[in-house]
Amino acid sequence: MDQEFAGSPKTWPPLGLPTGSVRALLTLIIVAVVVTKMVFHHPPDSIWIETLLIALAHYFTSRRFVALSPEIMRRLEDDGAIDRERQPLYLPKNTIRFIIIAAFVGLGAHLYREERLFEPKTISLLSMVFAYLLGAIVGGISNWLSRRRSQPASGTWGDIKALVVLAGMLTIAVVELLDAGAMLHPLVERVSLGLTLFYFGSR
């Protein structure tokens, strides 16, 4: 048996590829469909957008519940307590994330050159995607900085962020439940939903 998976509780991932490879392929297919349809003037159906956001949630959130040192991680993997983490599709670490970000940055640049960037459907899609990606980037930087601090970080920034997002979401939720959506400017709803995606991405 391949020594790559020796000592791991799951000794045979799907198709014999590194763990996460099938999810990586599915995500790249979803991104390819959404980007291609946008390029060729065919905005994707809502089901594709929803599936895209689920895929982004997988790739831009932490899948480890506890931050452990590399030495402890290796020891736990050797003992079979946790699965060995191998990079999907044998690619370098974070390659899939880079491809996803590059695809949407490239899409934005292409649509800008064609003067289609500020069309309502385009703005709706890209604002959701980039709000989530921005949150993930900010969250990654915050986690990196917190690991380098000798003292625990203050929770003030997290409290402010939570209060702003909750206030925005509660506002549009109440308006929506009262069937008074026409009273609310579309930009308010878009900003509130964008802040929510940013918050989820930054966790």
Side-chain angles (χ1 to χ4, degrees), residues 29-169:
I29 291 169
I30 294 164
V31 170
V33 168
V34 171
V35 169
T36 302
K37 288 181 75 70
M38 292 294 294
V39 167
F40 290 102
H41 301 262
H42 300 294
D45 295 334
S46 59
I47 188 66
W48 281 100
I49 305 302
E50 293 165 9
T51 307
L52 172 67
L53 292 176
I54 292 170
L56 292 180
H58 170 76
Y59 269 101
F60 291 92
T61 54
S62 173
R63 293 183 291 281
R64 291 292 188 194
F65 293 105
V66 183
L68 302 174
S69 69
E71 295 77 15
I72 294 175
M73 289 289 297
R74 282 194 293 270
R75 191 182 314 145
L76 290 172
E77 289 175 349
D78 291 340
D79 292 342
I82 60 173
D83 294 344
R84 294 185 185 277
E85 284 202 323
R86 296 292 180 257
Q87 300 310 315
L89 302 175
Y90 304 102
L91 297 172
K93 187 176 182 180
N94 293 323
T95 298
I96 303 299
R97 293 181 183 188
F98 175 79
I99 292 173
I100 293 170
I101 293 172
F104 283 103
V105 169
L107 174 62
H110 172 78
L111 295 177
Y112 178 78
R113 285 197 304 269
E114 291 198 348
E115 299 183 352
R116 294 167 49 207
L117 182 60
F118 298 105
E119 293 176 358
K121 289 185 177 180
T122 301
I123 284 291
S124 179
L125 169 62
L126 292 183
S127 62
M128 286 191 301
V129 170
F130 281 112
Y132 192 91
L133 294 179
L134 179 61
I137 291 169
V138 170
I141 293 172
S142 297
N143 290 335
W144 180 77
L145 290 175
S146 67
R147 286 196 297 268
R148 296 178 64 88
R149 291 193 189 101
S150 57
Q151 298 293 329
S154 167
T156 305
W157 163 243
D159 292 342
I160 294 172
K161 185 171 60 172
L163 286 172
V164 169
V165 172
L166 285 171
M169 181 53 77

Side-chain angles (χ1 to χ4, degrees), residues 2 4-5 12-18 90:
D2 190 342
E4 180 182 6
F5 303 106
W12 189 254
L15 306 179
L17 295 170
Y90 304 102

